[in-house]
Amino acid sequence: MAIKRTASAVWNGDLKTGKGALTTQSGTLKETAYSFKTRFEDGIGTNPEELIAAAHAGCFIMAFSAALGKSGFTPTKLQTEAALTLDFVNGNPTITTIDLVLTGSVPNITPEKFDEIAKDAKANCPVSRVLNAKISLTAKLQ
């Protein structure tokens, strides 16, 4: 069973002074503003990179939760932060790294098992597999 998700972007104007809007199929984003300033400076609105970071954090934590369940563990609380770095490589803006930081409370799990399951989730979540960036993971069991 294939799952298809959609989003759309509209752009008006040139790169530096133009403005755009993003809309997702679910309606969570509905004509959400983005621009050169929100992407490369400190403007108000979103940008593709923060959306990729959010998608990666969300995908990874769900994959981790699923893997915990398959191993017989039920987390009390999980939190993941994803820090994406956009660098210029050969003059082209390129997503070079994503650093995931996982914090979790999981009763009856050893730190070694927590790390093992986290590494597997990092390698196998769909967003990790689609990205051509170095992905690091710091896992902290509370």
Side-chain angles (χ1 to χ4, degrees), residues 92-108:
N92 296 311
T94 303
I95 297 168
T96 56
T97 62
I98 299 180
D99 300 312
L100 299 172
V101 177
L102 165 67
T103 306
S105 295
V106 183
N108 304 316

Side-chain angles (χ1 to χ4, degrees), residues 121-138:
K122 178 191 84 145
N124 291 303
C125 94
V127 174
S128 288
R129 291 195 324 261
V130 78
L131 295 172
N132 186 27
K134 179 183 174 207
I135 301 168
S136 71
L137 171 64
T138 303

Side-chain angles (χ1 to χ4, degrees), residues 15 39-40 49 85-96:
L15 176 64
R39 189 167 191 191
F40 298 108
E49 289 74 28
T85 300
L86 181 70
D87 280 325
F88 284 83
V89 176
N90 298 325
N92 296 311
T94 303
I95 297 168
T96 56

Side-chain angles (χ1 to χ4, degrees), residues 65-81:
S65 179
L68 284 170
K70 286 180 184 174
S71 295
F73 299 101
T74 302
T76 305
K77 181 179 180 184
L78 302 173
Q79 180 176 334
T80 298
E81 293 186 27

